[in-house]
Amino acid sequence: MKKKPYPLWLGGIAASVAGLCTHPLDLTKVRMQVAGDKGLLLSMRKTVANEGILGLWGGGTGTLLRQMTYSMMRFAIYDTVKAKIHTDSSPMPVWKLVAAGSVAGSVSAGICNPGEIIMVRMQGDKAKPVEKRYGYRNSIQGLYRMAREEGLATWYKGVGPNVVRGLTMNVFQIGGYDVFKAEIIKNNLLADGPVCHFMASFAAATAAATACAPADVMKSLVMSSQGAGPGVFTLIKDAYANHGVKFFFRGWTPAWIRLQPTTIITFLVLEQLKGGVDRYRKTGGTLM
């Protein structure tokens, strides 16, 4: 008998918990990319000095909106595609995991681009000069102002690099987690449990942070700019000419440091949520 799918919102809840826990690192990564802050600790000290300790959670509503749209959708699509393309009980080949991750990442990143852009703008806002700040009160008001002041098309500004990043991230993070987890269990390195989940997510996060760095840098630059701004290819050409290849890995350290706990917390929470649903169903529950 085919196992009943898990509720679609589990991934969004797990990602939201992780996003709030690691928000200071994500905010710092964006500010290093957008404002050119030098060094992780220096940037964080600057934020605390200017905005207080709660400043590290600036733009938190943008993070929640993004996690409950993009993250919820990508986990849901990933599981759905896997179920469609692999219907037997044999181990799923890597190419199918890559295919599922590619579809989930590109579709969810494209559709949910508004949540991504409002998160980036709110996180990087106070690192800018006062006259260049957006000053959004929250993510919903920010989306409304973007549409009113810059046109509805602004919601999909930077959608190209965001889709590339989303595709890459999902292949290496979600697909990578499944690959690493399966290999760990298959080779009897660890039993299926929290330690196994921790090690698989650690490996997946490292792979994802490295693969996504160039697209992440370009996404932050495009989304944080006002007005039409230069095109993506112009930004790439100018960045390479002025800074070299290293520019495309700017913010890698905070991105990696942030992605590690984000990925680990997401999958540990998600596995526990799935276990809770399984236990609920065994008692005869039918609501999930």
Side-chain angles (χ1 to χ4, degrees), residues 120-185:
V120 169
R121 285 190 172 193
M122 292 181 72
Q123 288 177 346
D125 205 32
K126 291 188 178 179
K128 295 180 176 182
V130 175
E131 66 275 10
K132 293 185 177 180
R133 294 178 185 175
Y134 294 103
Y136 301 143
R137 291 197 302 272
N138 54 60
S139 57
I140 303 302
Q141 189 252 4
L143 288 174
Y144 169 74
R145 278 187 50 195
M146 283 170 58
R148 187 188 66 186
E149 297 168 9
E150 303 174 58
L152 198 60
T154 310
W155 283 8
Y156 288 90
K157 186 177 184 179
V159 68
N162 191 36
V163 167
V164 172
R165 179 189 177 276
L167 186 154
T168 309
M169 175 64 72
N170 279 274
V171 168
F172 284 89
Q173 187 189 47
I174 302 182
Y177 174 80
D178 279 348
V179 170
F180 288 121
K181 177 183 172 183
E183 288 298 312
I184 289 171
I185 295 172

Side-chain angles (χ1 to χ4, degrees), residues 19-140:
L20 288 178
C21 289
T22 61
H23 186 83
L25 293 171
D26 200 28
L27 177 142
T28 302
K29 177 204 70 173
V30 170
R31 292 188 175 183
M32 289 179 68
Q33 293 170 341
V34 172
D37 288 353
K38 304 296 183 182
L40 172 67
L41 295 180
L42 181 62
S43 181
M44 295 183 79
R45 285 201 298 267
K46 178 181 173 182
T47 297
V48 172
N50 294 335
E51 305 165 45
I53 191 68
L54 292 180
L56 292 172
W57 278 269
T61 62
T63 293
L64 286 176
L65 176 66
R66 188 247 192 186
Q67 300 297 4
M68 289 306 295
T69 53
Y70 165 71
S71 289
M72 183 167 67
M73 182 177 289
R74 70 186 178 121
F75 276 105
I77 294 176
Y78 180 72
D79 288 340
T80 300
V81 173
K82 283 200 305 180
K84 293 291 185 181
I85 65 177
H86 194 76
T87 56
D88 57 54
S89 58
S90 64
M92 188 174 297
V94 173
W95 75 264
K96 289 186 177 182
L97 295 174
V98 170
S102 299
V103 173
S106 56
V107 172
S108 56
I111 293 175
C112 300
N113 198 73
E116 188 78 26
I117 192 170
I118 199 68
M119 181 186 74
V120 169
R121 285 190 172 193
M122 292 181 72
Q123 288 177 346
D125 205 32
K126 291 188 178 179
K128 295 180 176 182
V130 175
E131 66 275 10
K132 293 185 177 180
R133 294 178 185 175
Y134 294 103
Y136 301 143
R137 291 197 302 272
N138 54 60
S139 57
I140 303 302

Side-chain angles (χ1 to χ4, degrees), residues 223-237:
M223 289 184 170
S224 63
S225 63
Q226 292 180 323
V232 174
F233 292 108
T234 300
L235 283 172
I236 292 174
K237 183 182 69 175

